[in-house]
Amino acid sequence: MSKRFKIAFVCGLALLMMSPQSVKADTTNTSKIDSQAIVNTKSITNLYTEDGKLIQNQKLGANTAWVTDQKLTYQGQTYYRVATNEYIAAGDVTISYGHAKSGIVAINDWGGVSFSHDDNGFYRNGQKNFVANSLWKYDQVDQSGGLTYYRIGNDIWVNSNDATIAVGYQNPSGWFQIQNTQIKPVGNVGYDLYNGVEGVKVYLVRKYFGYSNTHTIYDSSIAASVKSFQAHRGLPVTGVVNLATWKNMGFSESSWYSLDSYVAPLETNQTSTRSDHIEAMINQAYKYLGQTWISGAASSPQYGVDCSGLVTQALYASGINPAPVSAIQHAQVGNEWNSRMLWNDNRMPKVDFNNRQRGDLIFYTDPSTGLIWHVGILLNRDTMIESWPYAVQVHSIYSGRGNIAGVKRVFA
């Protein structure tokens, strides 16, 4: 029985697998295929001997894949060998090269040459080089001339001279998992303002009516001012700031949504190291330096934030989504103390205080209650960036923020 090089059935089975009788051709034109190639049958497919004779008592099933190592040209027709003396007509199959394997490659600093593949191997196809340091998904891998080739498009390949498999850092199982795509807003974008809500929109409304922002909260005084305003503007008198009331105060409709939906741009990717993620977190925190402390706030660097709002946006930039803690949730009633939720989240393990390092979060308790009430990001063992009344600032960890509760690690 002829030995076939079958690798997989997609559907169906080869039919009537019996050894053929064939007569070797007087002359044949064969060539070895440069690297591993796969032919896929389009339908139930005839087999031929190397002299072009139809094998009567067997066929190959439709949509099946076979390894081929040789191309035969006989009387102007092209065939691919799939067994010792069994061939498939080129018109009955599609051919692909390499083997299925997926991942991401990063183009090296000098850019990457674009290749295509035919039966004779890889060749430069003349297309524009790939941009240096760009990332590409691949779905096939092949070997040729001591190089690895990665298929990143329809017969578009780049090789290991110009590209490296992107192996980025990921936290262990059970920790916060790093995301390599932009984190999206979590919560109701465009929420109304009512008693107990905090954050940047409340800050702007309090400022509009001339109230202090020592504590940025929507309280009964704000509600009364809003009702009076609504009555004078012919709006429904609810004491709740909705979009219509917001716009009547002179604020834009776009800001009603953009203040809620801001999520720090992702500053890391699939190739980022642990250090890259830590630096992304700290770089985002520095964008708020000098901005006003605003309770319940976790929006863009155009405005202030409180301590856990600063940490939330810093985590976003580094690829960490700490949900259910989120920028929107932080402003909602009862969620001012997200520092407590972060302290209790086991996806950030506690570490020994003596082993603290840059990028760790340091937590403090209120001396009068023993409850967590503050969090900062360590810049080194003894310095942190934080939001503390009344600004985002850099300070010693021993600056009277309360009692140090401990340190938690974001990146293992």
Side-chain angles (χ1 to χ4, degrees), residues 289-364:
L289 193 63
Q291 290 287 31
T292 304
W293 175 89
I294 301 174
S295 62
S299 189
S300 78
Q302 182 180 350
Y303 301 94
V305 287
D306 67 7
C307 64
S308 54
L310 179 71
V311 169
T312 298
Q313 289 294 348
L315 291 176
Y316 287 155
S318 69
I320 298 293
N321 184 353
V325 168
S326 80
I328 294 173
Q329 165 265 353
H330 187 37
Q332 307 310 307
V333 179
N335 292 301
E336 177 179 341
W337 302 103
N338 271 349
S339 55
R340 295 172 188 168
M341 292 186 69
L342 293 170
W343 174 252
N344 291 323
D345 197 319
N346 292 327
R347 293 173 294 176
M348 284 190 301
K350 298 173 186 176
V351 296
D352 189 287
F353 183 72
N354 292 326
N355 293 329
R356 65 193 184 278
Q357 59 186 239
R358 183 175 174 88
D360 290 345
L361 303 185
I362 185 167
F363 292 81
Y364 296 81

Side-chain angles (χ1 to χ4, degrees), residues 165-179:
I165 292 179
V167 181
Y169 174 82
Q170 180 57 270
N171 272 335
S173 175
W175 291 56
F176 277 126
Q177 294 300 288
I178 298 167
Q179 299 186 23

Side-chain angles (χ1 to χ4, degrees), residues 394-405:
V394 173
H395 265 282
S396 165
I397 65 172
Y398 303 109
S399 299
R401 301 321 191 207
N403 297 323
I404 295 175

Side-chain angles (χ1 to χ4, degrees), residues 90-362:
D92 294 335
V93 296
T94 58
I95 187 167
S96 60
Y97 301 93
H99 61 274
K101 187 175 182 180
S102 60
I104 294 172
V105 288
I107 304 299
N108 291 333
D109 292 342
W110 50 85
V113 176
S114 179
F115 290 86
S116 291
H117 198 311
D118 61 18
D119 292 344
N120 298 315
F122 288 98
Y123 62 93
R124 293 191 178 201
N125 56 28
Q127 293 196 21
K128 185 177 179 180
N129 284 7
F130 301 106
V131 175
N133 302 311
S134 58
L135 298 175
W136 299 85
K137 292 182 178 179
Y138 64 87
D139 63 354
Q140 294 279 339
V141 173
D142 203 354
Q143 304 290 328
S144 181
L147 298 174
T148 301
Y149 285 77
Y150 306 95
R151 190 176 75 172
I152 59 178
N154 185 19
D155 196 27
I156 302 297
W157 303 72
V158 65
N159 70 33
S160 52
N161 271 340
D162 298 332
T164 305
I165 292 179
V167 181
Y169 174 82
Q170 180 57 270
N171 272 335
S173 175
W175 291 56
F176 277 126
Q177 294 300 288
I178 298 167
Q179 299 186 23
N180 291 311
T181 56
Q182 178 62 42
I183 295 168
K184 304 298 182 183
V186 177
N188 177 27
V189 175
Y191 57 82
D192 291 346
L193 309 180
Y194 53 90
N195 283 344
V197 173
E198 299 180 288
V200 173
K201 288 198 298 190
V202 174
Y203 171 87
L204 293 173
V205 170
R206 290 183 66 93
K207 190 174 180 180
Y208 178 87
F209 289 115
Y211 288 97
S212 164
N213 270 297
T214 302
H215 186 194
T216 305
I217 190 166
Y218 199 102
D219 55 21
S220 58
S221 297
I222 300 298
S225 295
V226 169
K227 284 182 179 179
S228 176
F229 175 85
Q230 290 170 330
H232 281 88
R233 295 299 181 101
L235 299 168
V237 180
T238 62
V240 173
V241 175
N242 58 8
L243 176 57
T245 303
W246 177 262
K247 290 168 64 177
N248 268 271
M249 290 179 179
F251 301 120
S252 67
E253 182 171 349
S254 62
S255 68
W256 178 253
Y257 298 104
S258 64
L259 288 171
D260 299 344
S261 62
Y262 179 81
V263 172
L266 186 65
E267 295 186 10
T268 55
N269 57 44
Q270 292 92 336
T271 65
S272 297
T273 64
R274 177 181 184 273
S275 177
D276 292 335
H277 289 283
I278 290 171
E279 295 312 308
M281 179 171 64
I282 290 172
N283 289 342
Q284 180 66 23
Y286 264 102
K287 293 176 183 178
Y288 294 85
L289 193 63
Q291 290 287 31
T292 304
W293 175 89
I294 301 174
S295 62
S299 189
S300 78
Q302 182 180 350
Y303 301 94
V305 287
D306 67 7
C307 64
S308 54
L310 179 71
V311 169
T312 298
Q313 289 294 348
L315 291 176
Y316 287 155
S318 69
I320 298 293
N321 184 353
V325 168
S326 80
I328 294 173
Q329 165 265 353
H330 187 37
Q332 307 310 307
V333 179
N335 292 301
E336 177 179 341
W337 302 103
N338 271 349
S339 55
R340 295 172 188 168
M341 292 186 69
L342 293 170
W343 174 252
N344 291 323
D345 197 319
N346 292 327
R347 293 173 294 176
M348 284 190 301
K350 298 173 186 176
V351 296
D352 189 287
F353 183 72
N354 292 326
N355 293 329
R356 65 193 184 278
Q357 59 186 239
R358 183 175 174 88
D360 290 345
L361 303 185
I362 185 167

